[in-house]
Amino acid sequence: MNYPERFSNLPEYAFPRLRALLDHHQPGGDIVHMTIGEPKHDFPPWVTDVIMENAAGFQGYPPNEGSPELRAAIADWVNRRYGVSMDADTNVMALNGTREGLYNAAMALCPEQKNGQQPIILCPNPFYQVYMVASISVGAQPYFVSATAATGHLPGYTSLPEEVLNRTAVAYICSPANPQGAVASRDYWAELIQLAEKYDFRIFADECYSEIYRDTAPVGALTVAQELGADSERVTLFNSLSKRSNLAGLRSGLIAGGPETIKQVKLLRSYAGAPLPAPLQAAAAKVWADEVHVQENRALYQEKYAIADEVFAGVQGYMPPEAGFFLWLPVENGEETALKLWQETGVRVLPGAYLSQGDPGQNPGEQFIRVAMVAPKTEMKRGLITLRDCIYS
């Protein structure tokens, strides 16, 4: 039996790789999980009540693009958060989590050719793995642009050569960045949007960490695009309730953009989408409309930032994250460090190279580990102190 070759060179996904690295070794202490970004704070207690009140909706097929109530709540949230007016019927659509949308948007919107050549899709490096597989799926060339300390931990797309930009059809950008916690400034967005206007490519703005930050809310790509008077189809926003509301399992994401963009994604999704069950859509609509729990959640993360800053004060190369809930910690070798931590302490972290592309010595994540600050504060602090004492003392 034959299998397609287009995915034959995909590396093992990050977490199976981690299990292969660690699981045949015994932990050196009480296990502290700091690998996956799965929020552990409480979600709003009334969510389950809304689901139960709407349980009869499990009997029917849910609306593919989102119920009118959910789309209205999403449009209101985008307007409230970014100051950009969105029509609930033509500018937004509900998603089954952002990963589905980030993949399907490439499927629906990336052309087969750009200026007569194979299209390029720009990806930050390190990157969320769906960017790469979406690029491959549409027959585009994923083009990885390192996001390192030298570039402010954001990809320097504006410095790319013209022959690359002429082939570029889509640029993925994550702000706040996973894993580094860097935030794109208004100037960064403006330069990228102007570049996209000049070379006629789309920007897929993955902003799912936008509500977890220290002091100032990160500026959004849609906000800057509106200020510049850019083509309404130029920027497409993706976000979700996973981090904002500690509801990763609810799978409520959003896509927002120009009417033709939404039309094309909606058409594809009508054939291949997997919408949220109606009771979950009802709950999601209520959650998108509420900001009180978001403020409470953010306050907890701000306390965690302070703990991390205290624990790693004086550690050379420590970069306090501007936003998000990951630490991107410098080490000599991420894989060796992750194994050492596991064997000697039981703390479980993710090697940075598992989130990046590049040969040994050229992989921008090779000398980092990613540490998720999602556990309760006491457990998180214990894990960070144990980690510090093991690898930085």
Side-chain angles (χ1 to χ4, degrees):
M1 185 176 292
N2 293 326
Y3 292 91
E5 294 184 6
R6 57 183 174 273
F7 301 123
S8 60
N9 292 323
L10 285 180
E12 189 76 16
Y13 199 69
F15 297 105
R17 287 179 73 182
L18 183 68
R19 291 192 290 271
L21 176 70
L22 302 183
D23 284 1
H24 56 285
H25 299 281
Q26 291 298 312
D30 293 336
I31 298 173
V32 182
H33 291 283
M34 309 188 85
T35 55
I36 192 167
E38 186 177 62
K40 300 299 182 186
H41 297 171
D42 293 335
F43 57 80
W46 39 262
V47 168
T48 50
D49 295 333
V50 177
I51 294 172
M52 291 301 296
E53 290 165 7
N54 291 271
F58 283 121
Q59 289 181 300
Y61 291 115
N64 198 58
E65 69 275 12
S67 68
E69 295 78 12
L70 176 54
R71 285 185 283 109
I74 288 170
D76 288 347
W77 181 80
V78 174
N79 188 7
R80 201 165 64 242
R81 175 62 175 83
Y82 297 108
V84 179
S85 180
M86 290 274 130
D87 182 90
D89 292 324
T90 60
N91 292 124
V92 303
M93 193 175 73
L95 298 173
N96 197 333
T98 52
R99 178 159 58 176
E100 177 233 336
L102 290 161
Y103 182 86
N104 280 336
M107 297 292 289
L109 301 171
C110 182
E112 289 80 5
Q113 290 190 329
K114 176 72 182 294
N115 290 328
Q117 300 180 79
Q118 181 190 23
I120 280 174
I121 293 183
L122 303 180
C123 303
N125 196 21
F127 61 98
Y128 185 28
Q129 306 297 294
V130 72
Y131 306 161
M132 176 176 67
V133 77
S135 305
I136 296 169
S137 296
V138 300
Q141 176 190 343
Y143 192 95
F144 299 102
V145 181
S146 292
T148 64
T151 64
H153 289 289
L154 294 167
Y157 291 155
T158 57
S159 64
L160 293 173
E162 192 165 80
E163 58 266 27
V164 170
L165 294 170
N166 279 329
R167 291 174 53 198
T168 297
V170 174
Y172 282 104
I173 179 73
C174 184
S175 174
N178 169 15
Q180 308 97 317
V183 171
S185 67
R186 181 172 263 97
D187 286 346
Y188 181 96
W189 281 125
E191 290 177 3
L192 180 58
I193 292 166
Q194 288 164 347
L195 190 75
E197 294 266 84
K198 179 178 179 180
Y199 289 97
D200 191 24
F201 61 83
R202 296 175 179 272
I203 298 169
F204 288 172
D206 179 358
E207 299 186 33
C208 68
Y209 295 90
S210 66
E211 305 313 287
I212 301 172
Y213 52 83
R214 286 179 181 261
D215 302 306
T216 303
V219 65
L222 285 179
T223 305
V224 180
Q226 179 174 265
E227 291 171 354
L228 294 174
D231 183 343
S232 64
E233 309 294 338
R234 188 66 58 198
V235 175
T236 306
L237 168 71
F238 302 84
N239 213 311
S240 81
L241 296 179
S242 296
K243 282 75 178 175
R244 172 188 181 270
S245 303
N246 304 307
L247 283 165
L250 191 66
R251 309 312 302 140
S252 177
L254 72 84
I255 178 173
E260 188 61 29
T261 293
I262 299 303
K263 177 183 176 182
Q264 295 299 322
V265 176
K266 187 183 296 185
L267 176 62
L268 176 64
R269 200 169 192 271
S270 66
Y271 285 93
L276 269 68
L280 303 190
Q281 293 196 30
K286 298 287 187 183
V287 178
W288 280 113
D290 182 71
E291 292 294 334
V292 173
H293 76 279
V294 181
Q295 295 164 0
E296 294 170 349
N297 185 50
R298 184 159 51 244
L300 292 174
Y301 280 113
Q302 289 168 343
E303 292 177 14
K304 290 182 173 184
Y305 292 146
I307 291 171
D309 292 348
E310 177 186 355
V311 169
F312 294 105
V315 171
Q316 186 174 2
Y318 170 66
M319 182 190 72
E322 296 178 72
F325 50 54
F326 294 116
L327 300 178
W328 189 235
L329 298 178
V331 294
E332 289 188 11
N333 181 285
E335 274 196 327
E336 293 176 2
T337 299
L339 183 58
K340 173 182 172 70
L341 277 169
W342 176 247
Q343 289 182 301
E344 295 184 10
T345 72
V347 174
R348 198 173 179 96
V349 301
L350 189 68
Y354 292 4
L355 301 169
S356 311
Q357 284 284 296
D359 294 329
Q362 302 295 319
N363 186 317
E366 194 171 51
Q367 294 183 309
F368 290 88
I369 53 173
R370 192 187 76 173
V371 181
M373 298 190 293
V374 294
K377 281 188 300 182
T378 301
E379 180 182 351
M380 185 207 77
K381 184 174 183 178
R382 174 171 63 86
L384 293 185
I385 291 172
T386 302
L387 182 156
R388 179 200 63 193
D389 292 347
C390 179
I391 65 176
Y392 293 119
S393 297

